[in-house]
């Protein structure tokens, strides 16, 4: 995760011009968040054009955070180390997906595609919405002409999620929320 440090100060009453202080700064990769496996539930509807499919997806992901490792320079205002932040986090997403199917609709087949949409992330006692995208790959087996069983992997990313932590600080969190095979 990245963190943004705002060095803005206010003085009342205003003082005469003084030398400028440090400028606002972003520290890239200032911390990492470890989390445990969780659940991913999706409601998907779409239309199959043959080799090409379009889908609308409403998804809910929930997982437990484990600890955060801070490795930021002292100027960031963060103290380096490992901290236990055991709590729950969740993501509610609305995505549009475009998928390519490989093989026919009988027996085994594979598919791959991409999706884009919006995600609402709840983390560290706060929540924010942001643009989200995903890459999807999977295999499926046609049990009947209208029903498949399959295994899907998804790389899900919600960028520029801004949350305020429990201490009232406002880090800019660039999260990579990766789902595991479901």
């Amino acid at each position: 995760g990245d963190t943004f440090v705002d060095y803005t100060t206010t003085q009342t009453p205003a003082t005469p011009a003084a030398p400028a202080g440090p400028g606002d700064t972003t520290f890239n990769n200032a911390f990492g968040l470890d989390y445990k496996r969780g659940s991913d539930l999706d409601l998907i509807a779409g239309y199959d054009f043959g080799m090409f499919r379009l889908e609308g997806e409403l998804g809910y992901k929930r997982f437990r955070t484990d600890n955060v490792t801070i490795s930021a320079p002292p100027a960031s205002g963060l103290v380096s180390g490992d901290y236990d932040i055991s709590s729950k986090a969740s993501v509610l997403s609305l995505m549009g997906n475009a998928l390519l199917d490989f093989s026919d609709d009988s027996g085994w087949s594979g598919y791959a595609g991409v999706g884009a949409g919006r995600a609402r992330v709840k983390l560290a006692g706060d929540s924010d919405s942001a643009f989200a995208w995903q890459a999807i790959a999977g295999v499926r087996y046609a049990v009947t002409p209208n029903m498949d069983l399959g295994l899907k992997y998804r790389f899900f990313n919600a960028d520029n999620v801004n949350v305020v932590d429990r201490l009232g600080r406002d880090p800019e969190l660039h999260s990579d929320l990766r789902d595991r095979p479901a």
Side-chain angles (χ1 to χ4, degrees), residues 1 29-34 67-72 79-83 85:
N29 300 316
F31 65 93
L33 179 66
D34 292 330
N67 66 46
V68 65
T69 301
I70 297 175
S71 56
V79 178
S80 294
D82 288 331
Y83 302 94
I85 59 163

Side-chain angles (χ1 to χ4, degrees), residues 119-142:
R120 179 137 189 99
V121 178
K122 290 184 179 182
L123 176 67
D126 195 14
S127 64
D128 189 29
S129 294
F131 172 77
W133 63 272
Q134 60 188 358
I136 302 166
V139 294
R140 61 185 181 163
Y141 181 77

